[in-house]
């Protein structure tokens, strides 16, 4: 069970890494798609963690260190993705405002 | 590239590119439509420039469509204080000696004096007649001959208008050729009755039916009676009705008016005072006016030519500086037709038959220029040819058939004249012009409606019946051009057809773009959808990392 948990963390981190690559390429469709899979992996992590707590099955020191490294990596990537996402959302807000201005202007040639 | 959104709804919207290339693709047909509409609008405004240029030219041309503009004559009088005169172009060039021994006057009658304008005169009926009083001569008794052009006026005077002022107002209310006023001459108020028109034929006779039973005494309404024949002169004549007496080249003439237009052909005299010496009137050709008429024609055409050249100019292939109507068949057709009209030859002129003959030539740029020396020669040699070039005229093979007038839509052409009955002495002629039964009045025949000769008026005299030869009618350049312009500018003319077509194309395009716009969600809606998707991504990531963070927290708890 403990190895399965580590493996799940590994693949979640892998997904997050791919999400970051996609985000850097401004491929937000892809980010969204990967995020669905990533979310499922985290759900799996949650239930494994719970089962292990109930079974009182601890992680080995090595596994524990690996898990910590993976979680930190995930959170770091996650933060970077969000830093890329905020300005994009900000720009869309600006464009919505511009579009509203445009809509109030008379169209030409009529 | 993802397909158009409308099939999958906003949820299928890609959020990868913000100023989405896909949206630009969808906008492309709209941009194409915009470009088309704008080029149509450019054409429309070019056509309206063309139209206004043509109608400005037409206005100028219509002003020149009367012969008077081209055979203008001037009259000078050696004593312009006593006589002024104008000539209408049909006068014989030369000098006339005119003296005036008496000016025409209007008769003026005054009543006895009343102390106030509100004094009652009387009631009854006033009848005012216009005519000529003739004194007895030999066996002919004195007589009053009514003026056939003027009917008697009858005025009922009742208790509502029986004062001096009331009667004055009642007479003026008739708006007839007699006026009344009240004059206070120091001895009292007198009703003054004046015939509005001069001359013996407009003398006044005032008969009264007096309610007091006596229509001739100076009491009651009959105080206003005036009839020299009957001897009832209860009003006093202040001014007699007199004719103007003049002498033209030794011939004594008496006329009822001081404006005399039927003594010297084509000349209207205005008599202003009695002359002390013989007054020499000189009728001459008004070269300056004719020159100005031709010049204004040239100027009007040139401004049209400039405008048309601008609209059709070629700079270089595809250049935006090219005229909006470059290569346009309607515009080209108009230019070609106008040019050929300008080189036409008058069928009625004899010596100076074309514009070139009178010094108007066209340069390589299509503009006209006027050689005033050449024009002056034409005017002094044959002024009627100059008039014929521009304005309506006709020539007949029969010397007893002459041109009277025409209408703006009388067509140029040669028409046979046939008379089965001659007119005159109260009889109307019977005949045909160009094969169609003419409308007749006396000896004047008018071309029938629906026939090319419509409105052509000819005077047919002499005694011969049957064929009276042919008449060649020419509208003249001004008339021809005006008809040509009518054809283009009419509400059903070529230009309107063209602009209507463009306008309806614009309508169709606008409808198309409305339809496209209706199908496309608005740009704003697209941005909102993009935002919503990213917002969903963000919150999902946030809750997941919150989960992770709590996992991290549990890590320490686990050890």
């Amino acid at each position: 069970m403990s190895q399965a948990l580590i493996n799940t963390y590994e693949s979640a981190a892998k997904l997050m890494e791919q999400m970051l690559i996609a985000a850097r390429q401004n491929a937000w469709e892809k980010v969204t798609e990967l995020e669905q899979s990533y979310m499922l992996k985290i759900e799996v992590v949650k239930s494994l963690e719970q089962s292990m707590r109930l079974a009182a099955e601890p992680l080995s020191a090595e596994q524990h260190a690996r898990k910590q490294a993976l979680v930190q990596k995930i959170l770091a990537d996650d933060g970077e993705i969000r830093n890329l996402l905020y300005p994009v959302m900000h720009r869309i807000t600006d464009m919505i405002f511009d579009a509203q201005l445009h809509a109030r202007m008379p169209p030409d040639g009529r | 590239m993802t397909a158009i959104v409308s099939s999958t709804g906003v949820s299928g919207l890609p959020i990868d590119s913000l100023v989405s290339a896909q949206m630009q693709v969808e906008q492309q047909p709209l941009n194409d439509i915009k470009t088309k509409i704008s080029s149509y609008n450019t054409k429309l405004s070019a056509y309206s420039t063309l139209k206004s240029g043509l109608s400005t030219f037409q206005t100028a041309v219509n002003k020149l469509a009367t012969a008077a503009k081209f055979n203008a004559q001037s009259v000078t009088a050696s004593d312009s204080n006593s006589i002024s005169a104008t000539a209408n172009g049909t006068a014989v060039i030369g000098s006339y000696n005119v003296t005036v021994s008496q000016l025409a006057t209007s008769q003026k009658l005054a009543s006895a004096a009343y102390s106030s304008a509100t004094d009652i005169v009387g009631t009854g009926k006033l009848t005012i007649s216009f005519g000529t009083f003739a004194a007895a001569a030999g066996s002919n008794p004195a007589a009053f001959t009514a003026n056939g052009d003027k009917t008697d006026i009858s005025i009922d005077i009742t208790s509502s208008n029986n004062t001096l002022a009331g009667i004055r107002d009642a007479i003026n209310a008739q708006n007839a050729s007699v006026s009344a006023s009240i004059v206070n001459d120091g001895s009292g108020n007198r009703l003054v009755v004046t015939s509005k028109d001069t001359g013996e034929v407009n003398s006044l006779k005032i008969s009264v039916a007096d309610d007091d039973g006596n229509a001739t005494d100076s009491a009651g309404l009959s105080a206003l009676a005036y009839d020299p024949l009957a001897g009832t002169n209860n009003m006093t004549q202040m001014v007699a009705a007199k004719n103007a007496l003049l002498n033209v080249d030794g011939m004594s003439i008496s006329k009822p008016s001081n404006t005399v237009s039927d003594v010297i052909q084509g000349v209207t005299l205005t008599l202003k005072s009695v002359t002390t010496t013989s007054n020499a009137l000189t009728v001459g050709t008004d070269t300056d006016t004719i020159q100005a008429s031709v010049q204004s024609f040239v100027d009007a055409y040139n401004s049209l030519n400039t405008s048309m050249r601008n609209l059709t100019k070629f700079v270089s292939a595809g250049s935006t500086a090219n005229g909006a109507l470059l290569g346009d068949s309607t515009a080209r057709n108009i230019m070609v037709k106008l040019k050929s009209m300008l080189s036409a030859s008058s069928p009625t002129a004899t010596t100076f038959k074309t514009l070139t003959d009178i010094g108007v030539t066209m340069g390589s740029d299509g503009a006209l220029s006027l050689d005033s020396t050449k024009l002056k020669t034409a005017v002094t040699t044959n002024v009627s040819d100059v008039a014929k070039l521009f304005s309506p005229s006709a020539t007949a093979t029969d010397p007893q058939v002459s041109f009277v007038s025409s209408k703006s839509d009388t067509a140029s052409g040669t028409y046979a004249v046939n008379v089965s009955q001659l007119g005159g002495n109260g009889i109307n002629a019977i005949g045909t012009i160009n094969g169609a039964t003419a409308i007749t009045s006396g000896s004047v025949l008018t071309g029938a409606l629906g026939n090319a000769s419509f409105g052509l008026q000819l005077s047919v005299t002499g005694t011969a019946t049957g064929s009276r030869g042919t008449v060649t009618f020419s509208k003249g350049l001004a008339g021809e051009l005006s008809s040509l312009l009518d054809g283009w500018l009419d509400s059903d003319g070529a230009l309107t057809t063209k602009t209507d077509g463009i306008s309806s194309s614009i309508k169709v395009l606008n409808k198309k773009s409305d339809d496209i716009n209706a199908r496309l969600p608005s740009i704003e809606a697209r941005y909102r959808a993009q935002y919503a998707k990213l917002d969903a991504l963000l919150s999902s990531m946030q809750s997941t990392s919150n989960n992770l963070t709590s996992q991290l927290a549990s890590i320490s708890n686990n050890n």
Side-chain angles (χ1 to χ4, degrees):
Chain A
M1 205 155 31
S2 59
Q3 192 48 48
L5 177 70
I6 296 301
N7 288 348
T8 312
Y9 271 120
E10 290 280 5
S11 52
K14 178 66 79 191
L15 282 167
M16 185 52 88
E17 208 174 307
Q18 288 174 328
M19 280 163 66
L20 178 58
I21 291 166
R24 282 176 180 151
Q25 292 169 345
N26 229 350
W28 297 100
E29 286 287 303
K30 185 142 195 197
V31 176
T32 308
E33 208 174 294
L34 292 165
E35 204 264 345
Q36 300 293 314
S37 318
Y38 161 76
M39 209 170 59
L40 292 175
K41 292 285 174 211
I42 300 300
E43 288 298 323
V44 174
V45 163
K46 265 169 72 181
S47 65
L48 282 172
E49 291 267 17
Q50 204 165 5
S51 311
M52 285 167 67
R53 258 201 303 279
L54 290 171
E57 184 186 323
L59 290 172
S60 69
E62 195 186 334
Q63 284 175 325
H64 185 77
R66 181 66 188 149
K67 166 185 157 179
Q68 221 164 349
L70 285 168
V71 169
Q72 270 157 358
K73 171 82 169 74
I74 287 171
L75 290 175
D77 285 356
D78 176 280
E80 198 174 336
I81 291 172
R82 278 193 259 163
N83 285 342
L84 289 168
L85 184 51
Y86 290 128
V88 168
M89 289 174 78
H90 202 87
R91 267 177 57 208
I92 295 182
T93 315
D94 285 349
M95 289 195 292
I96 288 172
F97 181 74
D98 284 351
Q100 284 175 332
L101 271 187
H102 259 286
R104 280 197 292 274
M105 287 189 182
D108 30 290
R110 296 287 181 94
Chain B
M1 191 52 48
T2 329
I4 291 233
V5 171
S6 53
S7 54
T8 56
V10 169
S11 61
L13 190 74
I15 50 177
D16 290 350
S17 56
L18 289 172
V19 185
S20 138
Q22 182 209 3
M23 234 150 70
Q24 280 173 8
V25 166
E26 289 168 11
Q27 293 286 332
Q28 197 49 51
L30 283 177
N31 292 338
D32 291 350
I33 288 172
K34 252 190 197 156
T35 309
K36 259 190 196 145
I37 287 177
S38 128
S39 85
Y40 275 144
N41 277 324
T42 307
K43 267 230 151 134
L44 265 190
S45 87
Y47 275 124
S48 98
T49 306
L50 173 60
K51 257 186 172 170
S52 77
L54 290 171
S55 73
T56 304
F57 181 54
Q58 188 178 36
T59 306
V61 156
N62 286 347
K63 279 190 188 147
L64 300 173
T66 56
K69 296 272 177 186
F70 295 95
N71 50 19
Q73 294 176 324
S74 55
V75 189
T76 52
S78 58
D79 172 10
S80 56
N81 292 328
S82 60
I83 301 176
S84 67
T86 57
N88 68 2
T90 62
V92 177
I93 303 291
S95 270
Y96 305 86
N97 278 313
V98 184
T99 54
V100 180
S101 53
Q102 176 179 296
L103 287 179
T105 50
S106 293
Q107 192 180 33
K108 192 177 274 205
L109 306 171
S111 70
Y114 291 79
S115 59
S116 158
T118 57
D119 282 7
I120 290 172
V121 182
T123 58
K125 189 200 229 12
L126 286 177
T127 303
I128 303 176
S129 316
F130 304 88
T132 313
F133 285 105
S139 59
N140 292 330
F144 176 80
T145 312
N147 177 342
D149 294 335
K150 295 191 179 174
T151 50
D152 292 356
I153 56 169
S154 295
I155 309 166
D156 287 321
I157 304 300
T158 64
S159 57
S160 67
N161 60 357
N162 56 358
T163 61
L164 203 60
I167 294 170
R168 172 198 61 194
D169 295 345
I171 292 173
N172 290 335
Q174 295 284 322
N175 285 322
S177 63
V178 60
S179 66
S181 59
I182 294 173
V183 175
N184 189 324
D185 63 358
S187 65
N189 296 281
R190 297 174 187 272
L191 181 73
V192 176
V193 178
T194 308
S195 180
K196 283 184 188 172
D197 294 318
T198 56
E200 291 166 7
V201 74
N202 293 308
S203 303
L204 300 170
K205 181 173 93 175
I206 304 176
S207 329
V208 180
D210 197 331
D211 286 349
D212 69 10
N214 186 329
T216 55
D217 67 354
S218 56
L221 194 61
S222 55
L224 303 180
Y226 182 81
D227 183 353
L229 271 186
T232 39
N233 295 346
N234 297 340
M235 290 184 91
T236 311
Q237 175 173 274
M238 319 291 292
V239 179
K242 281 187 190 159
N243 279 0
L245 300 177
L246 59 159
N247 182 298
V248 178
D249 288 343
M251 189 168 50
S252 292
I253 295 152
S254 171
K255 291 284 169 186
S257 167
N258 290 320
T259 304
V260 182
S261 56
D262 53 356
V263 172
I264 304 170
Q265 187 204 316
V267 176
T268 298
L269 303 171
T270 303
L271 313 179
K272 298 194 281 192
S273 69
V274 168
T275 52
T276 46
T277 57
S278 177
N279 199 344
L281 292 185
T282 308
V283 177
T285 299
D286 185 352
T287 313
D288 288 351
T289 298
I290 297 167
Q291 182 107 7
S293 294
V294 176
Q295 187 65 57
S296 71
F297 173 81
V298 167
D299 293 347
Y301 181 79
N302 286 348
S303 78
L304 173 65
N305 182 59
T306 302
S307 155
M308 294 202 66
R309 281 175 65 85
N310 269 327
L311 290 170
T312 56
K313 74 163 176 272
F314 175 75
V315 177
S316 63
S319 164
T320 51
N322 287 342
L325 299 180
L326 171 65
D328 178 85
S329 62
T330 310
R332 196 175 41 234
N333 181 34
I334 286 173
M335 283 180 107
V336 167
K337 283 212 166 109
L338 284 174
K339 278 184 182 164
S340 79
M341 184 65 75
L342 294 180
S343 59
S345 174
S346 165
T348 53
T350 50
T351 313
F352 302 93
K353 294 173 175 244
T354 62
L355 281 178
T356 316
D357 293 343
I358 64 161
V360 177
T361 50
M362 188 180 284
S364 57
D365 59 353
L368 297 176
S369 55
L370 171 60
D371 175 342
S372 54
T373 313
K374 218 170 165 185
L375 176 61
K376 200 160 191 153
T377 305
V379 169
T380 48
T381 314
N382 190 337
V383 71
S384 83
D385 267 5
V386 178
K388 283 171 178 173
L389 260 181
F390 289 97
S391 51
S393 63
T395 51
T397 53
D398 182 327
Q400 291 180 303
V401 173
S402 61
F403 171 60
V404 179
S405 70
S406 61
K407 282 202 170 344
S408 65
D409 38 7
T410 308
S412 299
T414 298
Y415 306 119
V417 180
N418 232 291
V419 181
S420 56
Q421 175 183 300
L422 288 154
N425 297 330
I427 300 166
N428 287 340
I430 299 173
T432 61
I433 300 176
N434 195 29
T437 304
I439 295 146
T440 57
S441 167
S443 59
V444 175
L445 281 70
T446 306
L449 185 64
N451 190 277
S453 68
F454 170 65
L456 176 63
Q457 286 203 328
L458 303 172
S459 160
V460 182
T461 55
T463 54
T465 53
S467 169
R468 295 295 298 264
T470 58
V471 168
T472 299
F473 170 73
S474 158
K475 284 169 99 84
L477 196 50
E480 297 286 12
L481 284 169
S482 188
S483 296
L484 204 53
L485 291 158
D486 268 342
W488 292 322
L489 294 169
D490 268 5
S491 55
D492 55 357
L495 282 170
T496 313
T497 308
K498 200 108 189 185
T499 51
D500 284 355
I502 294 174
S503 296
S504 72
S505 298
I506 290 175
K507 270 208 187 84
V508 167
L509 286 171
N510 275 328
K511 172 86 178 71
K512 243 191 191 155
S513 99
D514 286 344
D515 291 350
I516 291 173
N517 273 321
R519 277 204 307 272
L520 283 177
S522 74
I523 292 180
E524 187 193 343
R526 295 163 166 258
Y527 289 149
R528 286 188 185 285
Q530 282 188 325
Y531 188 87
K533 291 187 85 167
L534 294 173
D535 196 41
L537 171 66
L538 183 64
S539 57
S540 176
M541 283 174 75
Q542 249 161 354
S543 72
T544 313
S545 19
N546 289 346
N547 276 333
L548 268 183
T549 321
S550 55
Q551 297 307 327
L552 264 189
S554 69
I555 287 172
S556 39
N557 300 346
N558 274 349
N559 301 311

